[in-house]
Amino acid sequence: MDLFSYRNRILHCEDVALPALAEAYGTPLFVYSQNTLLHHLRQIQTAFAPVQPLVCYSLKTNPNVNLCRLMYEHGAGFDVTSAGELYRALKAGGTGHRIVFAGVGKTDAELRYGLENDIVFFNVESEGELFALGDVAKSAGKTARVALRVNPDLPPKTHAKTDTSVKGVKFGLDIDTVLEFAQRAVDHEHVRVVGLHMHLGSPILSVEPYRQGLEKGLNLIEKLRQQGHHIEYLNMGGGFGINYKKQEALPATAFAEVIVPGVQKARCKLVLEPGRFIVGNAGVLVSRVIYTKDSGGKHFVIQDAAMNDLIRPTLYDSFHRIWPVAPAPGLPAPPEDYEADMPGTRLSDVVGPVCESGDYLAKHRALPPVERGDLLATFSAGAYGMAMSSNYNSRLRAAEVLVDGAKHRLIRRRETFEDLVRPEMEI
Ligand SMILES: *Cc1c(COP(=O)(O)O)cnc(C)c1O
């Protein structure tokens, strides 16, 4: 479900017409629907309610402090992957008892920062990290809690760049040797292994990887307990897919049906780290057409959002639905299936102003004719949009607006030219 809908041929976010927001805040503009976001968070909380999970929002997905605070106030904790993300989690009101920390390359300073804040546990991804954490904990006079992040070595399940549980990626501990490693950690004075973690990759559109991962996980938990570890947590990570094209994603209940019984069997507390599922379809990117042109047998729609605003198409060949915000009378209505051949449309490449041939939001896309000045909406842009944005080509990062019913608030202002050069030294 999302609360972006056409009313009288004008795209609205909840009760706010997008052209009004583009007018007020300029473009490119990320627009988020508060009630869509909370609805998706609640879907996960409800589906997994029988095991009272700790839902740790994956902060990297969309790190705006206002969105994080909103989720915290509605019961979420945070999954962080860097000291900067931990800083944001705390800034959003988060406290250690709802924070977990992942990542293959945590520095001593990051480990110390997590320890100081008494986070639930570190998702540890290598032997080196475990012993470094032990040293840091010792010097801080603390004992660190750890979930071993294992790479369960499953068949490929998503784009090669976002699959984290196949052999040969950098993530996690090798499932074939994790027990030998765990044995060496049994009597560590400053590290306690309290959980098992796996994050399988993203986006995942089937329950099968979770089923397979769980099976391996349950087996490991049993063996870890036999070694003398008190395993209290099973962390199944994030990865739940969303509807980018049509209705391809599964509801949270489908994942719960597989995961909940496994967690009960393991007698563990469940931790989840959803990101995309919560914010992905809670956001759109609104842009304005600057020019159109025909060249080399192609039709180009050049608009003011670019790869620096939304890099997913460039990086992962991702599909985002794109449609005019206010299609003129007589133009086709937004289709159910954006990939079908549609009368009244023409195949267009939707590109931005950045000096890269890889700068596009869509290629060979059926779009109604649009003109200079028209607004476009790129859907499902709430996750890994602003989060992965940059200043490439010295472009100013977009503004972000949060809509709640008929109210809208700026939650990040558009950058200025001064922002661009502020950290640079005058020498
Ligand atoms: C990125 C990430 C997630 C979130 O993935 P989504 O697909 O956005 O749910 C969760 N856990 C870890 C460790 C991650 O790196």
Side-chain angles (χ1 to χ4, degrees):
M1 181 216 80
D2 68 58
L3 295 169
F4 293 91
S5 60
Y6 283 86
R7 298 185 192 169
N8 299 323
R9 309 190 69 87
I10 293 175
L11 184 60
H12 284 63
C13 173
E14 304 200 12
D15 297 325
V16 178
L18 293 189
L21 295 180
E23 207 53 54
Y25 301 110
T27 54
L29 182 70
F30 284 96
V31 180
Y32 305 119
S33 157
Q34 174 161 326
N35 292 296
T36 304
L37 184 157
L38 292 178
H39 174 77
H40 288 143
L41 172 60
R42 212 170 306 120
Q43 280 186 323
I44 292 180
Q45 290 167 328
T46 309
F48 290 90
V51 290
Q52 295 179 289
L54 175 59
V55 178
C56 289
Y57 167 61
S58 171
L59 197 147
K60 74 169 193 270
T61 312
N62 187 326
N64 187 295
V65 167
N66 298 282
L67 300 185
C68 291
R69 188 175 300 114
L70 187 64
M71 282 184 254
Y72 186 76
E73 286 168 359
H74 286 80
F78 300 107
D79 158 41
V80 302
T81 60
S82 71
E85 288 191 356
L86 178 51
Y87 175 81
R88 282 182 181 273
L90 297 169
K91 196 104 179 145
T95 48
H97 72 286
R98 278 201 235 159
I99 296 174
V100 298
F101 198 152
V104 294
K106 303 179 200 78
T107 63
D108 285 9
E110 289 180 309
L111 295 171
R112 198 169 304 115
Y113 193 21
L115 277 173
E116 279 166 8
N117 285 286
D118 285 320
I119 62 168
V120 183
F121 51 70
F122 295 86
N123 291 316
V124 160
E125 308 212 14
S126 64
E127 178 153 14
E129 182 186 349
L130 187 107
F131 290 104
L133 178 58
D135 291 346
V136 173
K138 184 173 181 188
S139 72
K142 296 206 171 204
T143 302
R145 288 177 296 273
V146 159
L148 299 179
R149 178 174 183 174
V150 66
N151 175 347
D153 183 19
L154 303 179
K157 58 206 80 60
T158 183
H159 192 280
K161 285 183 186 160
T162 56
D163 199 333
T164 57
S165 58
V166 284
K167 229 184 184 61
V169 300
K170 69 177 179 179
F171 294 104
L173 295 153
D174 192 319
I175 190 154
D176 297 330
T177 53
V178 64
L179 286 170
E180 291 161 39
F181 159 52
Q183 187 63 48
R184 292 195 284 280
V186 169
D187 291 321
H188 199 295
E189 262 187 83
H190 292 277
V191 172
R192 266 194 303 133
V193 176
V194 297
L196 185 73
H197 174 223
M198 53 180 81
H199 169 63
L200 303 178
S202 177
I204 298 177
L205 297 170
S206 142
V207 299
E208 223 26 63
Y210 292 93
R211 195 193 306 281
Q212 295 162 357
L214 258 173
E215 199 179 303
K216 294 191 175 190
L218 292 189
N219 190 18
L220 274 181
I221 287 174
E222 199 181 303
K223 299 216 166 101
L224 288 167
R225 284 179 174 151
Q226 284 164 7
Q227 289 180 333
H229 295 292
H230 295 282
I231 305 298
E232 305 163 48
Y233 297 95
L234 176 56
N235 181 351
M236 288 304 291
F240 304 156
I242 62 168
N243 296 324
Y244 279 111
K245 288 182 177 164
K246 22 193 171 177
Q247 299 297 313
E248 70 267 34
L250 293 173
T253 48
F255 295 108
E257 270 170 36
V258 170
I259 294 174
V260 166
V263 173
Q264 287 168 331
K265 210 162 144 197
R267 290 168 287 116
C268 279
K269 184 162 174 61
L270 175 65
V271 178
L272 292 170
E273 304 170 337
R276 189 190 314 270
F277 188 89
I278 299 175
V279 293
N281 274 325
V284 301
L285 174 58
V286 180
S287 61
R288 201 179 281 284
V289 176
I290 311 172
Y291 304 112
T292 60
K293 77 170 178 184
D294 294 286
S295 168
K298 285 189 140 193
H299 182 64
F300 291 95
V301 174
I302 304 162
Q303 41 78 68
D304 62 6
M307 63 185 281
N308 76 297
D309 300 300
L310 180 66
I311 203 172
R312 297 189 68 255
T314 307
L315 199 56
Y316 310 132
D317 308 307
S318 303
F319 181 99
H320 284 264
R321 289 173 289 136
I322 300 179
W323 206 251
V325 165
L331 293 183
E336 290 288 306
D337 180 353
Y338 281 76
E339 286 191 297
D341 223 3
M342 281 175 293
T345 65
R346 72 189 291 190
L347 287 181
S348 312
D349 281 14
V350 181
V351 305
V354 162
C355 299
E356 298 273 345
S357 302
D359 175 31
Y360 56 86
L361 299 183
K363 287 193 147 185
H364 312 294
R365 183 64 63 82
L367 264 191
V370 290
E371 292 173 6
R372 176 175 169 82
D374 287 352
L375 293 170
L376 293 179
T378 299
F379 292 85
S380 312
Y384 307 106
M386 192 62 180
M388 298 176 97
S389 66
S390 79
N391 289 120
Y392 187 42
N393 275 209
S394 287
R395 284 170 51 85
L396 307 177
R397 252 177 287 217
E400 296 180 291
V401 171
L402 181 61
V403 172
D404 175 18
K407 276 192 316 206
H408 50 88
R409 282 171 298 178
L410 189 64
I411 57 169
R412 181 183 163 113
R413 64 165 173 79
R414 187 174 304 287
E415 287 179 346
T416 63
F417 294 144
E418 298 85 78
D419 289 331
L420 282 181
V421 295
R422 186 163 291 135
E424 292 169 26
M425 315 300 290
E426 297 242 6
I427 56 166

